[in-house]
Amino acid sequence: MTRRALYGAAVLQPEVTAAIVSAVLAELVERGYARLSMEGVAKRAATSKNALYRRWPTKQDMVLAVLADIGVPMSDVAETGDLRRDLRAAAESMAAWLAAEPYSKIIPDLIAEAQRTPALAEAISTTIAAPRRAHLRSLVAGAISRGDLPTDTDVEMAQDIVAALIYWRMVVRQAPTEPDFIDRVTDTALRALGATTT
Amino acid sequence: MTRRALYGAAVLQPEVTAAIVSAVLAELVERGYARLSMEGVAKRAATSKNALYRRWPTKQDMVLAVLADIGVPMSDVAETGDLRRDLRAAAESMAAWLAAEPYSKIIPDLIAEAQRTPALAEAISTTIAAPRRAHLRSLVAGAISRGDLPTDTDVEMAQDIVAALIYWRMVVRQAPTEPDFIDRVTDTALRALGATTT
């Protein structure tokens, strides 16, 4: 309490919070979750460790809060009712997201750490994965109701396939993608799902 | 040289090497690549840091050597000439491998670190990925020559799809797999590739 009063900040200053969030992202990119320290973040944000602890009790809470911040909204990906176009848009959005910093550097690291930290796995699932999966479920449901996909479509697999192919090539293999990679992924997914209109 | 003589080991003792390799794997599982230290490995292997440095100049070299050791041979996966059976066997082998420790804990971590360390990316590609991809290429070539796959099969995608679906579900999502998951993956891959005999 004395320490807290020492810094004289009963109210959290938003510009300090913003500086800390940027610093967390930068440290995650450069050093990764395991090497990230409260001290390193405080130094980079030109603030004190106390300023961090006033906001979040632990490193894990801090990273989870930042994660919630970077979770990409899916609202920008349209649902036109044309299965090919909609799947392709979802693929394009995922590939663009994984190609851009800070995500390209941060995501594999968080996935790895999530194997050890259930709360992180939960946060990734809720913040990053859930909105994308909801969007894909909606696309697939629409396509089934229009008769563009069979009624016995494996909906779980349908939600996995586009993301799986993109993540595997770009992140796990770090392999080059063909200029028409997004089209290839879309074609592969449509065939895999037994789409009647390919 | 003096330091070396001090420990009196001109020849590397294989049982010490084996203890170090086990210790590296255990530290990778528990702490991950980023947190792994020469000191931690030496302590766990009940040996000296010098014993490590006599074998490998750096932590990275040490991990790469251990990686080469755990690279799983593909020779146990048969190639029967029946595309469904062969693809299913490849899927089963991959899933079993990713479900077993130490791989389940180590692989995501190495993939994450590989984004920062090109030598590690290269080693993963050569040691772990290359034999599996060669096996799948051979399966696909056989299927094309028998007429079970179209001559214009996307061979790159064909090598990706089984592994991508399994890795995505089991490692990235850490999501439950259905009892018939391997069959679902096989079905999805066969349809995606436009197999004539499904």
Side-chain angles (χ1 to χ4, degrees):
Chain A
M1 276 301 157
T2 319
R3 259 185 108 73
R4 207 158 169 167
L6 205 71
Y7 286 86
V11 174
L12 300 174
Q13 297 177 290
E15 66 274 20
V16 175
T17 305
I20 297 173
V21 167
S22 301
V24 170
L25 289 174
E27 290 281 303
L28 282 174
V29 167
E30 274 180 33
R31 303 172 52 75
Y33 181 91
R35 293 191 196 91
L36 180 144
S37 70
M38 296 302 254
E39 191 157 354
V41 170
K43 190 175 277 184
R44 191 185 275 264
T47 185
S48 66
K49 278 210 282 181
N50 267 44
L52 270 54
Y53 285 117
R54 269 198 296 274
R55 287 164 173 82
W56 309 283
T58 66
K59 159 177 156 176
Q60 185 180 305
D61 290 303
M62 181 176 74
V63 171
L64 295 188
V66 171
L67 255 192
D69 222 53
I70 69 169
V72 177
M74 288 298 301
S75 52
D76 56 330
V77 180
E79 190 174 339
T80 66
D82 175 332
L83 179 60
R84 163 177 289 278
R85 187 180 300 191
D86 289 348
L87 263 191
R88 199 189 179 287
E92 200 157 34
S93 153
M94 168 101 179
W97 185 68
L98 284 178
E101 289 216 11
Y103 310 107
S104 59
K105 289 284 179 12
I106 290 178
I107 298 300
D109 218 60
L110 294 178
I111 298 293
E113 199 60 33
Q115 319 289 319
R116 279 183 209 93
T117 314
L120 194 56
E122 180 64 31
I124 292 171
S125 170
T126 309
T127 323
I128 300 183
R132 294 178 174 268
R133 294 184 76 74
H135 178 71
L136 281 164
R137 254 195 323 277
S138 164
L139 290 189
V140 170
I144 292 174
S145 74
R146 289 192 308 272
D148 294 339
L149 285 180
T151 50
D152 64 347
T153 296
D154 186 335
V155 178
E156 190 72 5
M157 202 64 91
Q159 290 173 80
D160 280 356
I161 188 164
V162 165
L165 288 171
I166 294 174
Y167 193 88
W168 181 254
R169 180 76 66 93
M170 292 178 61
V171 178
V172 181
R173 294 187 53 213
Q174 293 187 60
T177 52
E178 303 88 357
D180 60 346
F181 177 60
I182 298 299
D183 290 313
R184 286 169 185 249
V185 167
T186 308
D187 288 341
T188 304
L190 286 170
R191 276 196 307 268
L193 299 176
T196 50
T197 57
T198 53
Chain B
M1 276 302 158
T2 319
R3 258 185 109 73
R4 209 159 167 165
L6 207 69
Y7 286 86
V11 174
L12 300 175
Q13 298 176 289
E15 67 274 19
V16 175
T17 305
I20 297 173
V21 167
S22 301
V24 170
L25 288 174
E27 290 281 302
L28 282 175
V29 167
E30 275 181 32
R31 303 172 52 75
Y33 182 91
R35 293 191 195 90
L36 180 147
S37 70
M38 296 303 252
E39 192 157 352
V41 170
K43 189 175 279 185
R44 191 185 275 263
T47 185
S48 65
K49 279 211 282 181
N50 268 44
L52 271 54
Y53 286 117
R54 270 198 294 275
R55 288 165 173 83
W56 309 284
T58 66
K59 159 178 157 177
Q60 184 179 305
D61 290 302
M62 181 176 74
V63 172
L64 296 187
V66 171
L67 255 192
D69 222 53
I70 69 168
V72 177
M74 289 297 301
S75 51
D76 56 332
V77 180
E79 189 173 341
T80 66
D82 174 332
L83 179 61
R84 164 178 288 279
R85 186 180 302 192
D86 289 348
L87 262 190
R88 198 189 181 289
E92 199 157 34
S93 153
M94 167 100 181
W97 185 68
L98 284 179
E101 290 218 11
Y103 310 107
S104 59
K105 289 283 180 9
I106 290 178
I107 299 298
D109 218 60
L110 294 177
I111 298 294
E113 199 59 32
Q115 318 289 320
R116 281 183 206 89
T117 314
L120 194 56
E122 179 66 31
I124 292 171
S125 171
T126 309
T127 323
I128 299 182
R132 292 176 176 272
R133 293 184 75 75
H135 177 71
L136 282 164
R137 255 197 321 279
S138 163
L139 290 190
V140 170
I144 293 174
S145 75
R146 290 191 308 271
D148 295 338
L149 285 179
T151 50
D152 64 348
T153 296
D154 185 336
V155 178
E156 189 73 4
M157 201 63 90
Q159 290 173 81
D160 280 356
I161 188 164
V162 165
L165 288 171
I166 294 173
Y167 193 87
W168 181 253
R169 179 77 66 93
M170 293 178 61
V171 179
V172 181
R173 292 188 54 212
Q174 294 188 61
T177 53
E178 301 88 356
D180 61 346
F181 177 61
I182 299 299
D183 290 314
R184 286 168 186 250
V185 167
T186 309
D187 289 340
T188 304
L190 286 170
R191 277 195 306 269
L193 298 177
T196 49
T197 58
T198 55

